[in-house]
Amino acid sequence: MSGDQKTLIKGNPSQYVKLNVGGCLHYTTIGTLCKQDTMLRAMFSGRLEVLTDSEGWILIDRSGTHFGTILNFLRDGSVALPETTKGIADLLAESKYYCIEELVEACEKVLAKKERESEPICRVPLITSQKEEQYLISTATKPVVKLLINRHNNKYSYTNTSDDNLLKNIELFDKLSLRFSGRVFFIKDVIGSSEICCWSFYGNGKKVAEVCCTSIVYATDKKHTKVEFPEARIFEETLNILLYENKNAPDQELMQATSLRGAVGGISSYTSDEEEERTGLARLRSNKQNNPT
C-alpha cells in the first residue's frame, strides 16, 4: 500500500503496539514480544525494521491463525496446543519462523507422540486378488513371507489334529509378524489356490522356498486331509529369508550353512508327510538306473 513504510521500533516494555498478522489483528505490549530471544524480540527492540501502514498497524506477512497462541506462550511460558495434528504442524511452522525454540520443541514432541500412537506396530495386508499379491511382492523393499490359509479349500474330512494345527500355523504367523515386522514383509492370503495351509518365502521379488502343511492320508473307506505344523522348518525358512534384506543375492555358502537341507539355487518345497517317502522313491529309482537287471 502507498502508505506503508519501514521503521524501527524501540520503546518502553509497557508500551502497546498494534499488529496485523495476515489479516488477524492483535494488541499487545513490547514487553511481551521481547520476553524471549526470538525474531519478535529482534523486530521490537530496534534491531530489525518493521513495516507499518498509514494507521500505525505493524504488518507481519504470516498466517495469523496461531499468532494468538504464540503470544500466550510468550506471556506465560506454556500454552495448550491445538488438538489436531494439522493444527500442531501449522503452529510448529510458525514457531520455527519466529525462532521460538521452546514452542518448537513442545510441538515436535507432541507430533512424535501422535505418530507413535497412530502408527501400527505391524501391518499385515490381506490379499484380495492375485494381481494385488504380485504387486505387493514385486514392490516390497523387504523379504516377504506369505501364509496361504483357506480351510474351505478342503474336499475331505480333516484328521483329528488338523484343526489344532491350522490354528498353530496361524498363531506362529502372528508371532513371527510381530517379531520380524521391521525386517520382513508379512502378507496373508485367504482366497488363493487349492492349498489349505501353505507358507511361501520371497527374496528380491522371487519365491525361494515353500512349506506346504497339508497332505492326504488314506483310510479304509475314504480320504482324509491332514494339516501339520512343521514349526522348525517354518522358523528356518524365516531366518533364511532374512539373508535377502539387501538387494544382492545372499551368499550361497551362508545359505547352505543355515539350511539343514542345503536348499540353494531354487525353491525348496515341502509336504511334511510325503518328504521321506519321496526321498526313498528317488533312491530306489537311482539304484535301478545304476544297477539295471
Side-chain angles (χ1 to χ4, degrees), residues 127-165:
I127 297 300
T128 60
S129 68
Q130 187 176 6
K131 183 177 180 181
E132 181 186 31
E133 175 186 335
Q134 293 172 350
Y135 174 78
L136 288 173
I137 293 172
S138 63
T139 58
T141 57
K142 307 174 186 176
V144 177
V145 172
K146 183 190 78 170
L147 173 62
L148 187 157
I149 190 85
N150 193 343
R151 195 177 189 279
H152 298 290
N153 282 336
N154 185 35
K155 300 177 182 178
Y156 313 109
S157 60
Y158 283 105
T159 59
N160 293 335
T161 59
S162 291
D163 282 330
D164 285 343
N165 286 335

Coordinates of all heavy atoms in Angstrom, one line a residue, residues 127-165:
I127 N -4.6 -60.4 1.2 CA -4.6 -60.4 -0.2 C -6.1 -60.5 -0.7 O -6.9 -61.4 -0.2 CB -3.8 -61.6 -0.8 CG1 -2.3 -61.5 -0.4 CG2 -4.0 -61.8 -2.3 CD1 -1.7 -60.3 -0.9
T128 N -6.4 -59.7 -1.7 CA -7.8 -59.7 -2.2 C -7.8 -60.2 -3.7 O -8.9 -60.5 -4.2 CB -8.4 -58.3 -2.2 OG1 -7.6 -57.4 -2.9 CG2 -8.5 -57.9 -0.7
S129 N -6.6 -60.3 -4.3 CA -6.6 -60.8 -5.7 C -5.2 -61.2 -6.0 O -4.2 -60.8 -5.3 CB -7.0 -59.7 -6.7 OG -6.1 -58.6 -6.7
Q130 N -5.0 -62.0 -7.0 CA -3.7 -62.5 -7.4 C -2.8 -61.3 -8.0 O -1.6 -61.2 -7.7 CB -3.8 -63.5 -8.5 CG -2.5 -64.2 -8.9 CD -2.6 -65.3 -9.9 OE1 -3.7 -65.5 -10.4 NE2 -1.5 -66.0 -10.2
K131 N -3.5 -60.3 -8.6 CA -2.8 -59.2 -9.1 C -2.3 -58.3 -8.0 O -1.1 -57.8 -8.1 CB -3.8 -58.3 -10.0 CG -3.1 -57.1 -10.6 CD -4.2 -56.4 -11.5 CE -3.5 -55.1 -12.1 NZ -4.5 -54.4 -13.0
E132 N -3.1 -58.2 -6.9 CA -2.6 -57.4 -5.8 C -1.4 -58.1 -5.1 O -0.4 -57.5 -4.7 CB -3.7 -57.3 -4.8 CG -3.3 -56.5 -3.5 CD -4.4 -56.5 -2.5 OE1 -5.2 -57.4 -2.4 OE2 -4.5 -55.5 -1.8
E133 N -1.5 -59.5 -5.0 CA -0.4 -60.2 -4.4 C 0.9 -60.0 -5.2 O 2.0 -59.8 -4.6 CB -0.7 -61.7 -4.4 CG 0.4 -62.6 -3.9 CD 0.1 -64.1 -4.1 OE1 -1.1 -64.4 -4.1 OE2 1.0 -64.9 -4.2
Q134 N 0.9 -60.1 -6.5 CA 2.0 -59.9 -7.4 C 2.6 -58.5 -7.2 O 3.8 -58.3 -7.1 CB 1.7 -60.2 -8.8 CG 1.4 -61.6 -9.1 CD 0.8 -61.8 -10.5 OE1 0.5 -60.9 -11.3 NE2 0.7 -63.1 -10.9
Y135 N 1.7 -57.5 -7.1 CA 2.2 -56.1 -6.9 C 2.9 -56.0 -5.6 O 4.0 -55.4 -5.5 CB 1.0 -55.2 -7.0 CG 1.4 -53.8 -6.7 CD1 2.0 -53.0 -7.7 CD2 1.0 -53.2 -5.5 CE1 2.4 -51.6 -7.4 CE2 1.4 -51.9 -5.2 CZ 2.0 -51.1 -6.1 OH 2.4 -49.8 -5.8
L136 N 2.3 -56.5 -4.5 CA 2.9 -56.3 -3.2 C 4.2 -57.0 -3.1 O 5.2 -56.4 -2.5 CB 1.9 -56.9 -2.1 CG 0.7 -56.1 -1.8 CD1 -0.2 -56.9 -0.9 CD2 1.0 -54.8 -1.2
I137 N 4.4 -58.2 -3.7 CA 5.6 -58.9 -3.6 C 6.7 -58.2 -4.5 O 7.9 -58.1 -4.1 CB 5.4 -60.4 -4.0 CG1 4.6 -61.1 -3.0 CG2 6.8 -61.1 -4.2 CD1 4.2 -62.5 -3.4
S138 N 6.3 -57.8 -5.7 CA 7.3 -57.2 -6.6 C 7.8 -55.8 -6.1 O 8.9 -55.4 -6.4 CB 6.7 -57.0 -8.0 OG 5.6 -56.2 -8.0
T139 N 7.0 -55.1 -5.3 CA 7.3 -53.7 -4.9 C 7.8 -53.7 -3.5 O 8.2 -52.7 -3.0 CB 6.1 -52.8 -5.0 OG1 5.0 -53.3 -4.2 CG2 5.7 -52.6 -6.5
A140 N 7.8 -54.9 -2.8 CA 8.3 -54.9 -1.4 C 9.8 -54.6 -1.3 O 10.6 -55.0 -2.1 CB 8.0 -56.3 -0.8
T141 N 10.1 -53.8 -0.3 CA 11.5 -53.4 -0.1 C 12.2 -54.4 1.0 O 13.3 -54.2 1.3 CB 11.6 -52.0 0.5 OG1 10.8 -51.8 1.7 CG2 11.1 -51.0 -0.6
K142 N 11.4 -55.3 1.5 CA 11.9 -56.3 2.4 C 11.6 -57.7 1.9 O 10.8 -57.9 1.0 CB 11.1 -56.1 3.8 CG 11.1 -54.8 4.4 CD 10.2 -54.7 5.6 CE 10.1 -53.4 6.2 NZ 9.1 -53.3 7.3
P143 N 12.3 -58.7 2.4 CA 11.9 -60.1 2.1 C 10.4 -60.3 2.5 O 9.9 -59.6 3.4 CB 12.8 -60.9 3.0 CG 13.9 -60.0 3.4 CD 13.4 -58.6 3.4
V144 N 9.7 -61.2 1.9 CA 8.3 -61.4 2.0 C 8.0 -62.9 2.5 O 8.6 -63.8 2.0 CB 7.5 -61.2 0.7 CG1 6.1 -61.5 0.9 CG2 7.8 -59.8 0.2
V145 N 7.2 -63.0 3.5 CA 6.6 -64.2 4.0 C 5.1 -64.2 3.8 O 4.4 -63.3 4.3 CB 7.0 -64.5 5.5 CG1 6.2 -65.8 5.9 CG2 8.5 -64.7 5.7
K146 N 4.6 -65.2 3.0 CA 3.1 -65.2 2.8 C 2.6 -66.5 3.4 O 3.1 -67.6 3.2 CB 2.8 -65.2 1.3 CG 1.4 -65.2 1.0 CD 1.1 -65.4 -0.5 CE 1.2 -66.8 -0.9 NZ 0.7 -67.1 -2.3
L147 N 1.5 -66.4 4.1 CA 0.8 -67.6 4.6 C -0.6 -67.7 3.9 O -1.4 -66.7 3.9 CB 0.5 -67.4 6.1 CG -0.4 -68.6 6.7 CD1 0.2 -69.9 6.5 CD2 -0.8 -68.3 8.2
L148 N -0.7 -68.7 3.1 CA -2.0 -69.0 2.5 C -2.8 -69.9 3.4 O -2.3 -71.0 3.8 CB -1.8 -69.7 1.1 CG -3.1 -69.9 0.3 CD1 -2.7 -70.1 -1.2 CD2 -3.9 -71.2 0.7
I149 N -3.9 -69.5 3.9 CA -4.7 -70.2 4.8 C -6.2 -70.2 4.4 O -6.8 -69.1 4.4 CB -4.5 -69.7 6.3 CG1 -5.2 -70.6 7.3 CG2 -5.0 -68.3 6.4 CD1 -4.2 -71.7 7.7
N150 N -6.7 -71.3 4.0 CA -8.1 -71.3 3.5 C -8.7 -72.7 3.8 O -8.6 -73.7 3.0 CB -8.1 -71.0 2.0 CG -9.6 -70.7 1.5 OD1 -10.5 -71.1 2.2 ND2 -9.7 -70.1 0.4
R151 N -9.3 -72.8 4.9 CA -9.9 -74.1 5.3 C -11.0 -74.6 4.3 O -11.2 -75.8 4.2 CB -10.5 -73.9 6.7 CG -10.8 -75.2 7.4 CD -11.3 -74.9 8.8 NE -11.5 -76.2 9.6 CZ -12.5 -77.0 9.5 NH1 -13.4 -76.8 8.7 NH2 -12.5 -78.1 10.3
H152 N -11.6 -73.7 3.6 CA -12.7 -74.1 2.7 C -12.2 -74.7 1.4 O -13.1 -75.3 0.7 CB -13.6 -72.8 2.4 CG -14.2 -72.2 3.6 ND1 -15.2 -72.8 4.3 CD2 -13.9 -71.0 4.2 CE1 -15.6 -72.0 5.3 NE2 -14.8 -71.0 5.3
N153 N -11.0 -74.8 1.2 CA -10.4 -75.4 0.0 C -10.5 -77.0 0.2 O -10.3 -77.7 -0.8 CB -9.0 -75.0 -0.3 CG -8.9 -73.7 -0.9 OD1 -9.9 -73.2 -1.6 ND2 -7.8 -73.0 -0.8
N154 N -10.7 -77.5 1.4 CA -10.7 -78.9 1.6 C -11.9 -79.6 1.0 O -13.0 -79.2 1.1 CB -10.6 -79.1 3.1 CG -10.5 -80.6 3.5 OD1 -9.8 -81.3 2.7 ND2 -11.1 -81.0 4.5
K155 N -11.6 -80.8 0.4 CA -12.6 -81.7 -0.2 C -13.0 -82.8 0.7 O -14.0 -83.5 0.5 CB -12.1 -82.2 -1.5 CG -11.8 -81.1 -2.6 CD -11.3 -81.8 -3.8 CE -10.9 -80.7 -4.8 NZ -10.3 -81.4 -6.1
Y156 N -12.2 -83.1 1.7 CA -12.4 -84.3 2.5 C -12.5 -83.9 4.0 O -12.4 -82.7 4.3 CB -11.2 -85.3 2.3 CG -10.8 -85.5 0.9 CD1 -9.6 -84.9 0.4 CD2 -11.6 -86.2 0.0 CE1 -9.3 -85.1 -0.9 CE2 -11.3 -86.4 -1.3 CZ -10.1 -85.8 -1.8 OH -9.8 -86.0 -3.1
S157 N -12.8 -84.9 4.8 CA -12.8 -84.6 6.2 C -11.4 -84.5 6.8 O -10.5 -85.0 6.2 CB -13.5 -85.8 6.9 OG -12.9 -87.0 6.7
Y158 N -11.3 -83.7 7.9 CA -10.0 -83.5 8.5 C -9.7 -84.6 9.5 O -10.6 -85.2 10.1 CB -9.9 -82.1 9.2 CG -9.8 -81.0 8.3 CD1 -10.9 -80.1 8.0 CD2 -8.6 -80.7 7.7 CE1 -10.7 -79.1 7.1 CE2 -8.4 -79.6 6.8 CZ -9.5 -78.8 6.5 OH -9.4 -77.7 5.7
T159 N -8.4 -84.8 9.7 CA -7.9 -85.7 10.7 C -8.2 -85.0 12.1 O -8.4 -83.8 12.2 CB -6.5 -86.1 10.6 OG1 -5.7 -84.9 10.6 CG2 -6.2 -86.9 9.3
N160 N -8.0 -85.8 13.2 CA -8.3 -85.3 14.5 C -7.5 -84.0 14.9 O -8.0 -83.2 15.6 CB -8.2 -86.4 15.5 CG -9.2 -87.5 15.4 OD1 -10.3 -87.2 14.8 ND2 -8.8 -88.7 15.8
T161 N -6.2 -84.0 14.5 CA -5.3 -83.0 14.9 C -5.3 -81.8 13.9 O -4.6 -80.8 14.2 CB -3.9 -83.5 15.1 OG1 -3.5 -84.1 13.8 CG2 -3.9 -84.6 16.2
S162 N -6.0 -81.9 12.8 CA -5.8 -80.9 11.8 C -6.3 -79.5 12.2 O -5.6 -78.5 11.9 CB -6.6 -81.3 10.5 OG -5.9 -82.4 9.9
D163 N -7.4 -79.4 12.8 CA -7.9 -78.1 13.2 C -6.9 -77.4 14.2 O -6.7 -76.2 14.1 CB -9.3 -78.2 13.9 CG -10.4 -78.4 12.9 OD1 -10.2 -77.9 11.7 OD2 -11.4 -79.0 13.2
D164 N -6.4 -78.2 15.2 CA -5.4 -77.6 16.1 C -4.2 -77.1 15.4 O -3.6 -76.0 15.7 CB -5.0 -78.6 17.2 CG -6.1 -78.8 18.2 OD1 -7.0 -77.9 18.3 OD2 -6.1 -79.8 18.9
N165 N -3.7 -77.9 14.4 CA -2.5 -77.5 13.7 C -2.8 -76.3 12.8 O -1.9 -75.5 12.5 CB -2.0 -78.7 12.8 CG -1.3 -79.7 13.7 OD1 -0.8 -79.4 14.8 ND2 -1.3 -81.0 13.2

